Amino acid sequence: MSIIQNLPFEWLVGLRYTRAGKRSGRNSFISFISLISMAGIGLGVAALIIVLSVMNGFQKEVTDRMLSVLAHVEVFDPRGAMPDWQGAAREAFKNPQVKGAAPFVETQGMLLRDEALRPAIIRGVLPEEEPKVSDVAAQVKQGSFNALKPGAFNIVLGVELARALRVNLGEKVTLMLAQGQVTPAGVLPRMRSFTVTGIFEAGHNEFDSGLAFVHIGDAERLLRLEGPSGLRLRLGDMNRAPQVALELKKSMPGELWMRDWSQLNANWFAAVQTEKRMMFIILTLIIAVAAFNLVSTLVMTVTDKQADIAILRTLGASPASIMKIFMIQGALVGILGTMLGVAGGVLVALNVDVIVPFIEHLLGVQFLSKDIYFISTVPSDLRWADVSKIGVLAVVLAFLATIYPSWWAARVKPAEALRYE
């Protein structure tokens, strides 16, 4: 209490004006409008924190699931094959960021089972080397990834791809490649029967429904290659992939092509970033509308308190002091609203995984369909840097909203204000 009593008189009057008076119904109404403005700022801040956290979580979840299958950097030989992939791997490991390397062959084809026909990316890998660059081996739910043996023509399918083809372990699927072969009957697609020895689930619908793995030796034989198409690399820091790709292009011998993971899904990442910016702008406008409600609140307060302002002026208060009183009143409303919004937004963002399933169960709906979206649950990734930016922005907008009404209050002339009192 002693701390409050020692504050400058501008703070004491500003704090007093923030609260409703006991006798004045008009004061109660003004304070109610202040409460609405405070709630509006709080809701806007909370909404912005929750939406950005969900979008960050969505991006992080999809990226993690992508990179459980994709490599951080892919190295290609423009000649179409890289017979000495071990030598290329040794050169790549000279970069301290490279932690794993594995050869691969990749092509597109059609998988046929009875009347079911599905397109798929066929990736030839070495089962013993693949865990160094991806998590596919650990994602196999049925069968074994190590069942991919050279010459056995076995195949590991994504779970949705296997379901679409209506195929189980031990059954056959036919692979048709676009590269044709010349026969007396004309050019026919290259075909080969494969035995399903594994089914994996990456949790990313694009890969679960359109990716299959075979042994690299079988892929080379089908495509008539002299070696792997290139190398897949895993880095210590995936965010440095573009920089590392440039470094490898300069340091590795030969005219090699480099492709990092961000280039593989550049359109998707660009779309997510655009959506985040647009959502930030839209929800910031909501905060701005709530903050500038303070203008009407302070104008009403200044109109109601003109006599008080005149008395303070006659007692020696300067126009700057009068201006400070009303800026303090508006800033307090903005700060309190921001604090409530930050607390509510952080609380919801940290518990989205509990709140959303409860709402889905209560309403009997599913917000994210697994058949349409990459993921089927609503993720959240709260970033304190975003929370800080949002909080500062809300306080600044509230402060800006107080400038004009406070300036108007400072221009009140005591004689005119007291004429009819």
Side-chain angles (χ1 to χ4, degrees):
M1 194 69 185
S2 60
I3 296 176
I4 296 177
Q5 292 175 349
N6 292 330
L7 290 174
F9 85 93
E10 295 95 342
W11 282 85
L12 295 174
V13 177
L15 288 169
R16 176 66 185 84
Y17 283 175
T18 305
R19 304 191 305 272
K22 295 181 180 179
R23 299 178 182 178
S24 172
R26 181 181 295 179
N27 283 350
S28 298
F29 178 72
I30 293 173
S31 294
F32 173 75
I33 298 298
S34 298
L35 185 63
I36 294 299
S37 299
M38 186 187 304
I41 293 172
L43 287 174
V45 168
L48 188 50
I49 291 173
I50 295 167
V51 169
L52 287 185
S53 297
V54 169
M55 295 191 75
N56 289 333
F58 181 80
Q59 184 177 5
K60 182 178 182 298
E61 188 74 15
V62 173
T63 301
D64 289 345
R65 296 189 183 190
M66 282 181 179
L67 295 182
S68 70
V69 178
L70 298 175
H72 294 164
V73 176
E74 292 180 349
V75 182
F76 297 93
D77 193 313
R79 295 172 295 180
M82 187 183 290
D84 186 22
W85 67 268
Q86 295 91 341
R90 287 192 294 269
E91 291 293 329
F93 276 118
K94 292 180 180 179
N95 190 303
Q97 276 292 321
V98 179
K99 304 301 180 183
F104 78 105
V105 170
E106 191 167 284
T107 187
Q108 295 181 347
M110 300 292 291
L111 290 173
L112 174 65
R113 162 74 175 176
D114 294 333
E115 296 180 356
L117 183 66
R118 291 292 183 275
I121 295 174
I122 311 300
R123 185 176 296 164
V125 297
L126 280 176
E128 61 273 17
E129 300 290 335
E130 187 63 17
K132 298 178 182 178
V133 296
S134 77
D135 301 327
V136 175
Q139 295 170 341
V140 174
K141 303 301 181 183
Q142 301 178 41
S144 172
F145 196 74
N146 292 324
L148 298 178
K149 302 292 184 182
F153 290 97
N154 294 330
I155 191 169
V156 175
L157 304 177
V159 60
E160 296 298 332
L161 182 58
R163 184 177 294 117
L165 293 171
R166 297 187 294 275
V167 65
N168 296 311
L169 293 180
E171 297 180 345
K172 301 282 187 178
V173 294
T174 300
L175 171 61
M176 296 189 299
L177 299 177
Q179 292 86 349
Q181 55 185 354
V182 180
T183 68
V187 179
L188 297 178
R190 202 171 300 165
M191 304 176 66
R192 179 72 200 201
S193 178
F194 281 80
T195 303
V196 178
T197 56
I199 296 175
F200 74 91
E201 183 175 10
H204 190 293
N205 191 60
E206 181 180 345
F207 299 131
D208 289 342
S209 63
L211 183 61
F213 290 87
V214 300
H215 193 276
I216 194 169
D218 297 341
E220 291 173 3
R221 186 179 305 177
L222 281 172
L223 296 172
R224 299 174 183 173
L225 297 175
E226 297 178 357
S229 301
L231 282 175
R232 304 174 71 230
L233 306 178
R234 173 154 289 194
L235 309 180
D237 183 2
M238 69 175 188
N239 295 316
R240 295 188 60 188
Q243 177 187 344
V244 173
L246 291 175
E247 293 173 358
L248 292 174
K249 187 173 181 62
K250 295 177 181 178
S251 64
M252 294 180 68
E255 294 295 329
L256 300 177
W257 295 341
M258 306 290 171
R259 183 173 65 180
D260 65 84
W261 64 271
S262 63
Q263 293 174 314
L264 294 173
N265 296 274
N267 292 336
W268 184 84
F269 286 107
V272 170
Q273 291 300 323
T274 302
E275 288 175 4
K276 286 174 64 176
R277 293 190 191 99
M278 293 306 299
M279 290 303 299
F280 187 88
I281 293 172
I282 291 170
L283 293 176
T284 298
L285 291 176
I286 295 175
I287 299 175
V289 169
F292 282 98
N293 278 339
L294 289 172
V295 175
S296 59
T297 302
L298 291 177
V299 167
M300 293 174 66
T301 304
V302 171
T303 303
D304 185 58
K305 302 294 185 182
Q306 287 201 8
D308 295 359
I309 294 170
I311 293 171
L312 288 172
R313 289 295 308 278
T314 57
L315 291 175
S318 66
S321 296
I322 300 299
M323 189 173 181
K324 190 182 295 182
I325 288 171
F326 291 96
M327 291 183 74
I328 289 170
Q329 179 187 355
L332 283 174
V333 173
I335 291 171
L336 290 174
T338 301
M339 292 174 62
L340 290 173
V342 167
V346 169
L347 184 64
V348 173
L350 292 175
N351 294 277
V352 164
D353 57 336
V354 177
I355 296 172
V356 172
F358 172 76
I359 296 175
E360 288 180 337
H361 178 73
L362 187 66
L363 301 179
V365 299
Q366 185 178 14
F367 294 138
L368 295 178
S369 173
K370 194 172 183 180
D371 297 331
I372 301 174
Y373 300 98
F374 290 131
I375 56 178
S376 58
T377 58
V378 179
S380 177
D381 180 21
L382 181 68
R383 299 179 183 176
W384 292 107
D386 289 343
V387 174
S388 301
K389 292 176 184 176
I390 294 167
V392 170
L393 178 63
V395 171
V396 169
L397 288 174
F399 179 78
L400 292 176
T402 66
I403 293 177
Y404 174 74
S406 302
W407 175 78
W408 183 44
R411 290 171 56 85
V412 171
K413 297 179 180 179
E416 295 182 3
L418 294 173
R419 179 179 299 174
Y420 302 106
E421 293 294 328

